[in-house]
Amino acid sequence: MDVAKLFADLESNNMTLVDDAKKRFSELFGNTRESWLPHSMMDYFGQTSSVRIVDILVKVQPPHDKFILDKLAEWIRSGGNKMLALTLFGHIIQKRPTWLHKVGNHLLVKEVLKLSKLEKEIIPLINAVLCIIDLLPVIPVVMGGFVHDLFEIFNYLATFDRNTSVSLPEDQLIHLQFGLYELFNRLYGMYPCNFVTFFEARVSGRQTGRVSAHGEAAVGHGQDSSAVGFVGRGERDEFAALAEHGTARCGERV
């Protein structure tokens, strides 16, 4: 098999050649049960960012799905290829392969969560958070077991300017605020009672009462308001209003 020609056909503008290349790659995966094949395809993605390679990877069958998850976890853990891993993982999540649910019991989830709580560079941090946001509705039960980690990630994003000495440029700050807001909406939508309890404790200094009043007081007096961090007054008001609504919503469930 001429592998070079196969890759060339895959990237061709001739869709007949593309479809034929995908078919032949699929046959190759069916006849190979070793890790070198998916790992080579992943390395190729790292060099080319080829979306067509992703189309092939998401259709693999066991044991290749595990080989892919293993490699992604290794890349994140090593640090050198974390952006490549997060980019490819994000593409895979978007494609929703039939084996995606297996990630819930794989080390990869823990590696992404760990990175999201410790990463100092804004681009990989936001990529990791976006992966989590997209993954949450796919495996909600499994991710519910990491609910405290998810809340810690939210808190880390909200206090990112305090946790690092890096002064973010305006465009990166906007991305960080976007990630924070999207994560808030996802967590509030999926775990409203747990999240409201967490949010109230952070904003009000673990006191009960009106979230907005305690949150604004904490910000105004320079106290620890770690759940609101760098967000502006408008965002704080909106978060507080949602939290108040969530408190009532949880009360109705009791």
Side-chain angles (χ1 to χ4, degrees), residues 145-239:
F146 298 106
V147 68
H148 294 297
D149 295 283
L150 296 170
F151 294 166
E152 286 180 18
I153 291 169
F154 174 84
N155 190 60
Y156 181 69
L157 286 180
T159 60
F160 186 80
D161 60 335
R162 302 180 193 177
N163 297 330
T164 65
S165 58
V166 178
S167 179
L168 295 177
E170 184 67 22
D171 59 332
Q172 292 188 2
L173 181 60
I174 291 173
H175 281 88
L176 185 59
Q177 291 175 328
F178 171 79
L180 175 67
Y181 189 75
E182 289 298 307
L183 182 60
F184 176 90
N185 284 331
R186 185 71 84 195
L187 295 178
Y188 176 73
M190 295 182 65
Y191 315 108
C193 297
N194 304 72
F195 192 46
V196 166
T197 300
F198 161 83
F199 191 73
E200 284 185 321
R202 289 294 189 272
V203 175
S204 64
R206 301 188 182 281
Q207 297 177 12
T208 58
R210 288 178 56 84
V211 175
S212 58
H214 287 288
E216 288 295 329
V219 174
H221 290 87
Q223 299 171 2
D224 179 18
S225 56
S226 56
V228 290
F230 65 83
V231 297
R233 178 176 294 271
E235 287 88 350
R236 291 202 301 270
D237 290 343
E238 186 169 359
F239 284 176

Side-chain angles (χ1 to χ4, degrees), residues 56-102:
I56 295 172
L57 289 174
V58 296
K59 293 180 180 179
V60 302
Q61 300 297 319
H64 298 295
D65 50 359
K66 183 179 184 301
F67 295 151
I68 292 172
L69 298 179
D70 289 345
K71 191 67 172 179
L72 290 173
E74 178 186 330
W75 277 348
I76 293 177
R77 186 167 54 252
S78 66
N81 289 318
K82 60 187 175 184
M83 268 306 302
L84 172 57
L86 293 169
T87 301
L88 180 53
F89 188 36
H91 281 299
I92 290 173
I93 296 173
Q94 290 293 323
K95 296 288 185 179
R96 298 292 196 271
T98 57
W99 45 265
L100 184 58
H101 67 280
K102 295 182 180 180

Side-chain angles (χ1 to χ4, degrees), residues 6 9-10 15 17-29 51-53 55-56 59:
L6 204 54
D9 289 347
L10 182 66
M15 294 310 299
L17 293 178
V18 173
D19 291 340
D20 183 62
K22 288 182 177 181
K23 181 179 179 180
R24 294 180 68 185
F25 271 122
S26 178
E27 293 172 351
L28 185 58
F29 270 103
V51 176
R52 291 174 180 174
I53 283 292
D55 291 337
I56 295 172
K59 293 180 180 179

